[in-house]
């Protein structure tokens, strides 16, 4: 039994594991990836790649990763850090005063799956599950060649693969810049970045923007790349349709006025084979809800975990760090992860409330201020549904279109995401609402003229089983320790 389990080996998870192990806790790190780094530091397979080329595919802050990885590797060993890659947590339950994690390999039947234990019992948890691209439907977005912006970057970082040769990057937020820059540097022709908002939105957020001057330097670097590759940056511009027969062949963009309405006659159509769409990120909260921790709606309308000033959640002996507490980027995730690891150790008598903890709290406060400014400067346009057609798919897994969702809402009382799911099967497919849940909730809330609530978003995040699992592993639940207190499944 370890003192602490850290779930996730991205920036927050690595920082938490190193901090806790350095203070003397025995730490088990469970991660779905085959190697540390998470989505942010995704890189080619270390077993086959040239070490000198690992950072050559669109990486950022690679030096920080190398330093943290060296510390992580130095701490690997019995009673320090036990690393379990290629593993996912599919069920979580109380075990006395601690927690039992039920594990399964991400890919069953491969040689590496033999090294994944069936369970891990620990005194405390640090959950660092990260997040994923938030998406909104648009006519034609189900065509091959339409990818989430994060997926485009993941292909480039992990495999050096271009998702297309002639691309448009669209949505909102600073993340569009590195995606476009990475594509251009890898040889793609980027016809433009379509930003739904205007950069003047930052003027009203200067108080938060100045809290992270390093972000400004990053933006300058991306702008240089855009200038070098002649990538236009079109403000208040959105993708309103994607055309093609068997794959993407064209994209239509339109301008928005100051109120977010489509400007008549502003449509432009261009031939492309890739459309990268990104409307920010949203946290992965399956494990947060599985342990019974409270959640709230953040300023960007994402559901996030409730934590105190020392990263403690409302569930006993559970800390949360990184994007799950609010999307704010890798630098903030590193600070929150380190703080969670240090506090977890201090709570178990390994080191007191040090000056380092206080410095981290100050840095996190500034990072959160910047994140709030970013979200307010790059909101989802309130008129986003105006360019949808009744035939536009909302749920691609179950092929449920906008017309079906609206009829369920207006005629059958499906005025919330949960009821819409029961009436239309939206969110019942493979993604379990991760892709369509946000859009479905927005459609319901907009109809009633209200903001999103926890009740709108939590049903999509809460699942009895956190990940798909084989029937054989599900049958293992029959061997649950009878003295364990199982978390309620309602």
């Amino acid at each position: 039994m370890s003192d602490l389990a850290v779930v996730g080996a991205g920036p927050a998870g690595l920082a938490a594991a190193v901090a806790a192990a350095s203070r003397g806790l025995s730490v088990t790190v469970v991660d779905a990836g085959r190697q540390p780094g998470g989505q942010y530091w995704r890189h080619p397979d270390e077993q086959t790649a040239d070490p000198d080329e690992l950072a050559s595919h669109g990486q950022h802050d690679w030096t920080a990763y190398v330093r943290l990885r060296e510390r992580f590797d130095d701490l690997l060993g019995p009673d320090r850090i036990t690393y379990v890659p290629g593993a996912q947590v599919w069920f979580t339950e109380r075990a006395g005063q601690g927690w039992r994690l039920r594990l399964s390999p991400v890919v069953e039947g491969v040689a590496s799956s033999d090294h994944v234990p069936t369970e891990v019992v620990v005194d405390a948890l640090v959950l660092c599950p990260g997040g994923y691209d938030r998406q909104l439907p648009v006519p034609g977005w189900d065509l091959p060649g339409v990818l989430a912006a994060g997926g485009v970057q993941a292909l480039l970082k992990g495999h050096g693969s271009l998702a297309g040769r002639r691309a448009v990057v669209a949505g909102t937020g600073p993340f569009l810049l590195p995606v476009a820059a990475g594509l251009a540097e890898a040889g793609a022709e980027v016809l433009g970045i379509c930003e739904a908002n205007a950069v003047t939105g930052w003027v009203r957020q200067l108080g938060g923007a100045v809290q992270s001057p390093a972000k400004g330097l990053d933006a300058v670097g991306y702008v240089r790349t855009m200038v070098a590759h002649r990538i236009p940056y079109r403000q208040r511009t959105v993708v309103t349709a994607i055309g093609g027969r068997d794959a993407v062949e064209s994209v239509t963009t339109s301008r928005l006025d100051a109120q977010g309405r489509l400007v008549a006659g502003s449509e432009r159509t261009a031939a492309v084979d890739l459309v990268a769409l990104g409307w920010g990120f949203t946290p992965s909260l399956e494990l947060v809800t599985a342990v019974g921790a409270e959640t709230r709606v953040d300023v960007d309308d994402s559901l996030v975990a409730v934590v105190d000033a020392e990263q403690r959640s409302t569930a006993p002996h559970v800390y949360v760090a990184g994007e799950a507490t609010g999307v704010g980027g890798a630098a903030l995730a590193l600070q929150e992860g380190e703080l969670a690891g240090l506090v977890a150790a201090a709570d178990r008598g390994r080191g007191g409330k040090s000056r380092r903890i206080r410095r981290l709290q100050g840095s996190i406060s500034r990072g959160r201020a910047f994140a709030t400014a970013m979200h307010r400067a790059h909101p989802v346009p309130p008129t986003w549904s105006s360019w949808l057609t009744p035939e536009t798919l909302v749920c691609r897994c179950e092929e449920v279109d906008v017309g079906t969702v609206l009829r369920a809402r207006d005629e059958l009382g499906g005025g919330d995401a949960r009821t819409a799911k029961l009436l239309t099967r939206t969110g019942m497919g493979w993604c379990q609402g991760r892709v369509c849940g946000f859009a479905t909730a927005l459609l319901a809330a907009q109809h009633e003229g209200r903001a999103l609530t926890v009740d709108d978003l939590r049903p999509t995040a809460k699942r009895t089983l956190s990940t798909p699992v084989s029937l054989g592993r599900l049958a293992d639940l029959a061997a649950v320790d009878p003295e364990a207190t199982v978390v309620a499944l309602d």
Side-chain angles (χ1 to χ4, degrees):
M1 177 175 176
S2 297
D3 296 316
L4 183 71
V6 176
V7 182
L14 286 176
V18 167
S22 297
R23 291 290 182 94
L25 293 188
S26 59
V27 181
T28 298
V29 177
V30 179
D31 186 49
R34 293 187 300 174
Q35 55 202 17
Q39 297 292 340
Y40 185 73
W41 284 316
R42 179 190 288 266
H43 53 281
D45 186 349
E46 296 175 1
Q47 304 303 314
T48 58
D50 182 341
D52 295 332
E53 297 179 356
L54 287 178
S56 64
H57 300 296
Q59 294 290 349
H60 192 62
D61 294 333
W62 188 252
T63 301
Y65 170 69
V66 171
R67 288 197 300 264
L68 186 59
R69 177 65 184 277
E70 288 174 348
R71 295 180 64 196
F72 180 82
D73 289 347
D74 288 343
L75 289 165
L76 290 174
D79 299 323
R80 302 181 84 184
I81 293 179
T82 300
Y83 175 47
V84 185
Q88 56 191 0
V89 179
W90 62 272
F91 193 70
T92 310
E93 59 194 331
R94 294 301 303 275
Q97 296 299 310
W99 294 92
R100 176 183 282 107
L101 307 181
R102 300 277 175 173
L103 309 184
S104 66
V106 173
V107 181
E108 297 270 9
V110 299
S112 59
S113 68
D114 296 336
H115 302 290
V116 175
T118 59
E119 67 176 46
V120 172
V121 179
V122 294
D123 177 58
L125 300 175
V126 179
L127 301 179
C128 308
Y132 54 92
D133 289 77
R134 187 167 66 181
Q135 293 292 291
L136 293 175
V138 62
W141 75 314
D142 53 315
L143 285 168
V146 181
L147 278 76
V152 170
Q153 191 182 66
L155 285 172
L156 193 60
K157 286 183 174 183
H159 306 283
S161 299
L162 274 174
R165 290 288 176 180
R166 186 175 168 86
V168 163
V169 180
T172 191
F175 183 63
L176 303 182
L177 302 181
V179 173
L183 284 170
E185 289 175 331
E189 180 184 2
V190 181
L191 274 63
I193 297 173
C194 298
E195 165 59 60
N197 294 284
V199 294
T200 53
W202 281 98
V203 174
R204 296 186 296 273
Q205 308 299 329
L206 285 179
V210 298
Q211 299 297 322
S212 185
K215 299 289 187 181
L217 296 177
D218 291 342
V220 170
Y222 295 133
V223 169
R224 287 174 179 166
T225 301
M226 290 166 58
V227 171
H229 292 275
R230 299 181 179 179
I231 302 173
Y233 185 79
R234 300 191 175 97
Q235 303 176 60
R236 289 185 179 148
T237 303
V238 294
V239 169
T240 52
I242 300 168
R245 187 177 181 86
D246 299 315
V248 171
E249 297 173 4
S250 66
V251 62
T252 299
T253 62
S254 300
R255 291 266 298 159
L256 300 178
D257 64 18
Q259 286 71 45
R261 298 169 301 199
L262 292 174
V263 176
S266 65
E267 299 86 358
R268 299 172 60 179
T269 300
V272 296
D273 63 358
L274 171 64
V275 179
L277 298 174
W279 295 96
F281 293 90
T282 196
S284 297
L285 292 183
E286 295 83 359
L287 295 178
V288 172
T289 58
V291 299
E294 292 182 11
T295 52
R296 62 179 179 85
V297 178
D298 205 2
V299 66
D300 66 339
D301 283 332
S302 285
L303 193 70
V304 301
V306 173
V307 294
D308 66 12
E310 294 182 326
Q311 305 304 131
R312 297 185 191 89
S313 76
T314 58
H317 309 298
V318 177
Y319 309 80
V320 184
E323 308 291 58
T325 67
V327 175
L332 181 57
L334 281 168
Q335 294 163 357
E336 289 192 351
E338 183 181 353
L339 178 60
L342 292 176
V343 171
D347 287 348
R348 275 140 204 90
R350 306 295 180 88
K353 300 301 175 64
S354 65
R355 184 178 301 173
R356 176 62 180 169
I357 287 179
R358 292 190 293 273
R359 285 201 297 266
L360 284 169
Q361 289 174 322
S363 296
I364 289 169
S365 178
R366 292 189 291 274
R368 279 281 156 228
F370 177 85
T372 297
M374 175 185 68
H375 294 317
R376 288 177 174 163
H378 295 276
V380 171
T383 57
W384 68 273
S385 61
S386 65
W387 50 83
L388 305 182
T389 66
E391 297 76 28
T392 303
L393 291 183
V394 175
C395 176
R396 297 186 295 189
C397 298
E398 295 294 314
E399 298 185 341
V400 181
D401 59 31
V402 170
T404 300
V405 173
L406 295 184
R407 283 192 297 273
R409 182 193 71 185
D410 299 337
E411 301 174 12
L412 301 175
D416 60 87
R418 187 184 186 96
T419 306
K421 176 179 179 179
L422 295 173
L423 293 172
T424 68
R425 295 192 59 81
T426 300
M428 289 190 180
W430 182 254
C431 85
Q432 289 291 287
R434 292 175 177 87
V435 176
C436 63
F438 178 68
T440 304
L442 276 181
L443 287 172
Q446 286 178 352
H447 177 67
E448 298 178 0
R450 60 176 176 82
L452 291 179
T453 67
V454 170
D455 290 338
D456 291 318
L457 300 173
R458 192 173 172 92
T460 301
K462 188 172 184 179
R463 298 175 182 85
T464 301
L465 304 182
S466 301
T467 64
V469 65
S470 68
L471 289 176
R473 293 192 180 273
L474 188 60
D476 290 342
L477 282 178
V480 167
D481 181 352
E483 297 182 357
T485 302
V486 179
V487 173
L489 302 182
D490 56 12

